[in-house]
Amino acid sequence: MAIRKIVYLPDPILRRKARKVELFDKDFQTLVDDMIETMRDAPGVGLAAPQIGVSQRLIVIEYADDEENPEAPKQLYVVANPEVVAASEQVVEGVEACLSVPGLVGTVDRYYGITVKGLNRKGKPVKIKAQGWLARIFQHEMDHLDGIVYTDRASEVWKPKEGEDYPAD
Ligand code: ZN
């Protein structure tokens, strides 16, 4: 496993539509392991492959799956070719930060809940129902696969003050 270099705006790879994952071979497994390690090292709550310069539709997320309890154990998600198949009517505002856009945070509207379909690291179908912050992280990561950065969607972007800390992904 290795920590990969995170790329920043204005790197053009962050603006490209990433290609579908077709092969779940040994190289792909290494990519997954490297993304997990890079996310944990950053640290971040999620990472999309384009953020390490790989234009593939692959995301990793590690976040407590219990919205009410921040002490809840974290759950690791690895999803290739993720797609939103259902979304709540409710949209919520929240503050996001991005590992590829250091030094800024911004307010973004996201669906409160979504259902995501995709493939796990073995290429087997998975379906995930996410709510609250977990749903927000999924939406942020999936945007990266289409060349969208949260600042494109933000109603307001600012430089955080000291002590003003938001999880980045
Ligand atoms: Zn990001």
Side-chain angles (χ1 to χ4, degrees):
M1 296 219 283
I3 294 166
R4 308 266 191 120
K5 199 175 164 296
I6 293 175
V7 300
Y8 306 118
L9 278 186
D11 192 306
I13 203 153
L14 292 168
R15 292 309 195 179
R16 210 175 291 161
K17 199 170 156 65
R19 64 182 185 279
K20 274 196 167 180
V21 177
E22 314 260 7
L23 281 176
F24 296 83
D25 57 2
K26 217 176 142 213
D27 285 349
F28 178 76
Q29 302 307 321
T30 303
L31 174 64
V32 170
D33 288 336
D34 287 357
M35 280 184 56
I36 294 167
E37 196 174 354
T38 304
M39 169 181 67
R40 287 174 176 166
D41 176 71
V45 293
L47 193 69
Q51 292 182 277
I52 56 161
V54 176
S55 197
Q56 290 199 39
R57 303 187 80 79
L58 170 65
I59 61 173
V60 297
I61 291 172
E62 193 165 46
Y63 195 71
D65 62 349
D66 183 349
E67 180 71 7
E68 305 298 314
N69 176 15
E71 306 285 301
K74 287 179 180 173
Q75 173 127 10
L76 177 66
Y77 301 89
V78 175
V79 190
N81 307 337
E83 273 179 74
V84 174
V85 293
S88 62
E89 269 177 42
Q90 192 191 355
V91 168
V92 286
E93 198 176 70
V95 178
E96 297 187 14
C98 181
L99 296 171
S100 296
V101 191
L104 292 175
V105 297
T107 307
V108 189
D109 280 349
R110 300 285 190 188
Y111 294 115
Y112 175 73
I114 53 168
T115 304
V116 176
K117 270 189 180 176
L119 302 171
N120 70 12
R121 63 184 296 166
K122 307 278 182 216
K124 298 272 181 290
V126 288
K127 187 171 158 187
I128 298 145
K129 283 190 178 184
Q131 289 191 328
W133 274 98
L134 182 60
R136 177 172 295 277
I137 298 165
F138 267 100
Q139 289 168 82
H140 178 118
E141 295 315 331
M142 291 169 72
D143 270 353
H144 277 304
L145 306 181
D146 289 324
I148 298 165
V149 177
Y150 83 90
T151 48
D152 302 344
R153 299 192 187 275
S155 55
E156 198 190 344
V157 175
W158 68 94
K159 283 191 174 141
K161 293 186 199 83
E162 227 181 282
E164 195 186 359
D165 208 12
Y166 299 97
D169 50 345

